[in-house]
Amino acid sequence: SGDMEKSFIGIRQFTILVTLFTIGSSILISPSGLAAGAKQDAWIAAILSVCIGLLTVYLYHTLISRFPNQTLVEMCEVIFGIWIGKIVSLFYFSFFFLLAALVLRNIGDFVVTQVLPDTPLQFILIIFLAVVIMANWLGIETIARTGEIFFPWVILFFLAMVVFLAPQFRLFQLKPYLGEGIIPIFRASLPFTGTPFMELVVLLMVIPCVNCAKKANKAFLTGTLIAGILLILITLLSIIVLGAGITARNLYP
């Protein structure tokens, strides 16, 4: 819309958007997936994924430097030419569309199984979608400001969880280190590299709205790193509190 062109968000707001987007629903599903693949070494797999994720973001970083103030769609058209570029953009659009549905279902399932078991799934999805539609209608600035308001709470609750779980830490659950060998760690880290780090490509649509595109690069990497550390921590906590077995069997450890 015309409003989107004129609206701008700050560097800090962009960093927060990157962080919250990366944590997103992966905080719910990644510990379980990683533990299923890498057992007690899930946290090592998480570290590996974050490293690969940062490399992926460095690729976006290079694209932003090469094509400043262009959206992903415009980049595709410059690189591949108009027609092939439009087809590639269509594939990306399909990916974002499926991703939106997937994340919506993640959050819906989580709320229905853990929080409001007697509420029909459809209503929860409708309420969340209504918020998303409203946010898009109000534009990127509103989304960024909301992120800014919620971010301290996310961090606060995260730290509170760490502190209150401390008495239940059982460090022996991390042993044996590399007990399964290195292959399962690589295998487990691959899906976790895709979800969430490769999804960050969607934020190339937001870059032109960032106030100072030069600094947006650093913000992209910073946001990914903060989120990556939190995801490594949540995986580590799941293992030392619940153990690898329960973490893998639980949908939302």
Side-chain angles (χ1 to χ4, degrees):
S1 69
D3 298 345
M4 285 291 270
E5 308 301 285
K6 290 194 286 289
S7 59
F8 276 106
I9 61 174
I11 291 297
R12 189 180 67 194
Q13 288 176 322
F14 181 68
T15 314
I16 289 173
L17 275 186
V18 174
T19 308
L20 292 178
F21 180 93
T22 311
I23 295 173
S25 57
S26 41
I27 195 167
L28 297 177
I29 55 176
S30 44
S32 172
L34 285 165
K39 311 279 193 296
Q40 71 282 0
D41 293 325
W43 61 281
I44 304 177
I47 293 173
L48 184 64
S49 302
V50 172
C51 295
I52 302 170
L54 284 167
L55 283 175
T56 315
V57 174
Y58 189 73
L59 179 69
Y60 307 151
H61 163 96
T62 313
L63 277 172
I64 298 163
S65 311
R66 195 77 55 88
F67 307 99
N69 292 327
Q70 286 184 314
T71 62
L72 179 64
V73 176
E74 290 162 341
M75 288 178 192
C76 287
E77 289 185 7
V78 173
I79 296 166
F80 295 111
I82 297 291
W83 287 109
I84 298 180
K86 280 196 185 339
I87 293 166
V88 172
S89 300
L90 188 67
F91 277 123
Y92 271 118
F93 172 74
S94 315
F95 170 58
F96 299 149
F97 192 76
L98 289 170
L99 190 60
L102 193 72
V103 172
L104 186 67
R105 183 64 197 240
N106 275 342
I107 194 77
D109 282 347
F110 175 70
V111 173
V112 166
T113 54
Q114 309 291 322
V115 190
L116 303 167
D118 296 334
T119 310
L121 178 67
Q122 293 85 330
F123 287 102
I124 288 165
L125 298 186
I126 288 166
I127 290 168
F128 271 104
L129 253 187
V131 174
V132 171
I133 291 166
M134 199 170 146
N136 276 297
W137 188 55
L138 293 168
I140 188 75
E141 280 186 17
T142 310
I143 297 174
R145 284 177 193 167
T146 312
E148 221 170 356
I149 292 169
F150 279 115
F151 188 67
W153 292 103
V154 172
I155 300 298
L156 187 72
F157 282 128
F158 196 95
L159 292 174
M161 180 183 67
V162 176
V163 170
F164 290 127
L165 279 175
Q168 298 177 45
F169 289 173
R170 307 276 178 275
L171 290 175
F172 66 84
Q173 312 212 70
L174 291 174
K175 290 179 177 158
Y177 302 114
L178 301 178
E180 307 287 315
I182 223 104
I183 310 292
I185 292 177
F186 277 110
R187 204 174 292 142
S189 70
L190 281 176
F192 184 48
T193 307
T195 312
F197 300 107
M198 290 186 181
E199 297 170 357
L200 283 162
V201 69
V202 70
L203 289 170
L204 291 179
M205 296 301 289
V206 179
I207 289 286
C209 300
V210 181
N211 251 333
C212 170
K214 290 272 185 294
K215 289 193 188 133
N217 271 334
K218 197 164 157 238
F220 216 154
L221 285 162
T222 312
T224 311
L225 186 64
I226 296 169
I229 290 168
L230 291 179
L231 290 170
I232 292 166
L233 277 175
I234 198 88
T235 309
L236 188 63
L237 285 179
S238 299
I239 304 283
I240 56 181
V241 173
L242 300 169
I246 297 178
T247 301
R249 282 193 298 276
N250 260 351
L251 197 50
Y252 305 112

